[in-house]
Amino acid sequence: MNLKRYGVTAAIVVAGALILTSCASNETPPSASAAALSGTLNGSGSTAQAVAQTTWIAGFQTANPGVTVNYAAVGSGAGVTAFQGGSAQYGGSDAALNADQRAGTFTECKAGTDALDLPVYISPIDVAFNLSGVTSLKLDAPTIAKIFSDKITKWNDPAIAALNSGATLPATTITPIHRSDSSGTTNNFTDYLNKADSTDWTNAANNVFPFKGEAGNGTSGVVAALKAANGGIAYVDNSAAAGLAVAQIQVGTSFVTPSAKGAAATASQSPVADGVPAHDLSLTINRTLTDPTTYPIVLVSYLIVCQNYASSADAKLVKAYATYVISAAGQATGAAAAGSAPLDSSLTKKDQTSIATIK
């Protein structure tokens, strides 16, 4: 994690804020086909993607100076709603479309056609904490589940102490902090808890956090609340965790520090979900791997697009932008800025096949 990346996050990841990224003179020069592309492309959604979206937009606009791309970092749930309602031509979501969302209408899409989930951003979700005098912490799934469901309420609880032999843990009250908005980060975090410890966390994965308590709007709101709360603990995308103390998470018999490499290893061992439309690439994340080179609280974030757009001009822009996002250049710049993991070759090929069907 570096302060440069966090500075970008602080500047742009404000819930509801519109991110407008213009061309930079030192980016890749326009392509030979750039003149063929013009117009405005609006996206909306994931705050976890916000840093990467900024770099993707800068690179794409430099290569295609006739195109303006806007991205509103309003959260995954709001982004899907904007895409469904037609105010955005693509959505950014940290959770793939669910059955209820698919049953609705997608205004941008031709009637009777499907929307597609395209994985474009892979990142660890960190369990970050703010506890005076404590800089190192180890946690397992049952302990995290009990903390976030208010069954463990003090930092010196025996369950936490048992995982942190030799540490001096104060009797400070724990303040769990969650997302207040509909969030794909919440979906991934609750999916991890349910799959890794369904005994202590009986709630299924959901964009809405199932318990009351301290909350923040968007990634930036959660980080701000955590920094203000001694005794606080929260789940945040790795791109926003610079300067925060981050717990190691138990994987098998080891404790693992969140990393892009570990997140990518988990994603590579996670299959495409059953029962989704042809060319949809929503993944069923394997949260129970025991290999310490993996990291289980991984976020796979998607571009949500129409397979068949009502407007051929929109289809052309979305197809070109998605192609850039998954390109080697797009993935490299996004990963460098956000600390995310570039897509592996297998997932890139699957994305390319799906994007080719957009029309």
Side-chain angles (χ1 to χ4, degrees), residues 52 149 156 175 264:
S149 59
N156 63 349
T175 303

Side-chain angles (χ1 to χ4, degrees), residues 141-180:
T143 306
I144 298 169
K146 290 170 185 172
I147 287 172
F148 278 89
S149 59
D150 299 317
K151 296 170 187 172
I152 291 177
T153 60
K154 297 290 184 180
W155 276 107
N156 63 349
D157 187 277
I160 302 176
L163 297 171
N164 295 274
S165 178
T168 301
L169 298 169
T172 306
T173 298
I174 300 175
T175 303
I177 301 166
H178 63 270
R179 287 281 290 269
S180 61

